[in-house]
Amino acid sequence: KGCDVIIDFTSPASSLENLYAAAEEKKAIVIGTTGFSEEQLKKIKDLSKEIRCVLSPNMSVGVNVMFKVIRDMAKILADEYDIEIIEAHHRFKKDAPSGTAMKMAEILADSVKRDLLKVGVYARKGVIGERKKEEIGIQTIRAGDIVGEHTVMFGGLGERLEITHKAQSRDNFARGAVKAALWIVGMPHGIYDMQDVLGLR
């Protein structure tokens, strides 16, 4: 009760409980949890009409700059280059692909006007034939204590472009969350993300 903003990095169920508490106490909330179902996301959006909420799968400034860059790259390259996302995290991470990788896939699909439900490919095995041009691949690695790595690859004939973000500690997520908390206090009720916080729209 003695705060202005709640910062939440828990689990989907716990985040919803904290969101209800924030709404009841008229507090703002910053949520960095991933793995929400569509139904849970709808509840978050509905509740955010009553309070101020920043919801982002990744609070890192670098990752959010990467979100903007890959959107622009896709608009230029997607007609001639294949798009693949590779993400790697520690062995203890429970959801896959990561929320950040899924956000990247959504950004890329939206940028090139493709339906991610139809073109997203999450595994390849066996004799599957040639890669379809419209595919967006999202591949997952889980090993050791990797904090978080995300690479977006634009593969063409004769060349490829890759943009990678590597988190070396979790401190950058905490710094981003604090930045979001300071920003959200003065905003109208509604749901925002780190692109809004950083002025990247």
Side-chain angles (χ1 to χ4, degrees):
K1 292 185 178 182
C3 69
D4 295 314
V5 184
I6 297 168
I7 296 178
D8 175 272
F9 286 83
T10 55
S11 66
S14 296
S15 291
L16 275 177
E17 289 179 11
N18 290 333
L19 186 64
Y20 282 116
E24 186 175 332
E25 297 294 332
K26 308 296 184 191
K27 305 294 185 183
I29 187 167
V30 173
I31 300 175
T33 303
T34 61
F36 291 106
S37 67
E38 288 299 318
E39 183 180 348
Q40 289 170 326
L41 285 171
K42 184 178 184 303
K43 287 180 181 177
I44 292 171
K45 289 173 183 174
D46 288 343
L47 275 171
S48 295
K49 295 172 185 174
E50 305 170 24
I51 61 170
R52 300 177 298 280
C53 175
V54 174
L55 174 66
S56 181
N58 197 305
M59 298 289 171
S60 157
V61 172
V63 163
N64 280 276
V65 171
M66 186 172 169
F67 287 162
K68 181 173 177 59
V69 170
I70 63 172
R71 182 185 297 277
D72 294 340
M73 290 175 73
K75 288 176 181 176
I76 298 167
L77 299 172
D79 286 345
E80 300 294 333
Y81 291 70
D82 301 323
I83 302 174
E84 295 283 326
I85 301 166
I86 304 123
E87 64 97 343
H89 283 85
H90 51 85
R91 66 171 69 167
F92 307 106
K93 187 168 178 60
K94 295 178 181 177
D95 58 315
S98 69
T100 301
M102 289 307 301
K103 180 68 174 178
M104 289 176 173
E106 290 165 10
I107 288 168
L108 291 162
D110 179 69
S111 181
V112 297
K113 296 179 171 51
R114 297 177 194 169
D115 183 347
L116 186 59
L117 292 175
K118 294 179 180 177
V119 303
V121 175
Y122 301 90
R124 296 183 177 98
K125 183 180 180 181
V127 182
I128 58 173
E130 290 187 5
R131 185 191 196 280
K132 295 181 178 66
K133 181 179 177 181
E134 67 273 13
E135 286 181 7
I136 296 176
I138 306 104
Q139 312 304 324
T140 297
I141 296 167
R142 293 289 176 267
D145 61 355
I146 300 168
V147 176
E149 297 184 8
H150 294 86
T151 295
V152 175
M153 177 191 300
F154 295 91
L157 299 178
E159 67 175 2
R160 73 176 184 268
L161 286 83
E162 296 180 6
I163 178 168
T164 298
H165 178 274
K166 296 183 180 182
Q168 294 162 300
S169 83
R170 292 179 177 82
D171 292 351
N172 57 327
F173 306 133
R175 284 193 294 271
V178 170
K179 186 184 290 285
L182 293 170
W183 179 87
I184 193 69
V185 170
M187 301 304 294
H189 289 177
I191 189 165
Y192 304 91
D193 63 19
M194 284 299 288
Q195 299 285 292
D196 298 307
V197 174
L198 298 171
L200 294 174
R201 293 208 184 280

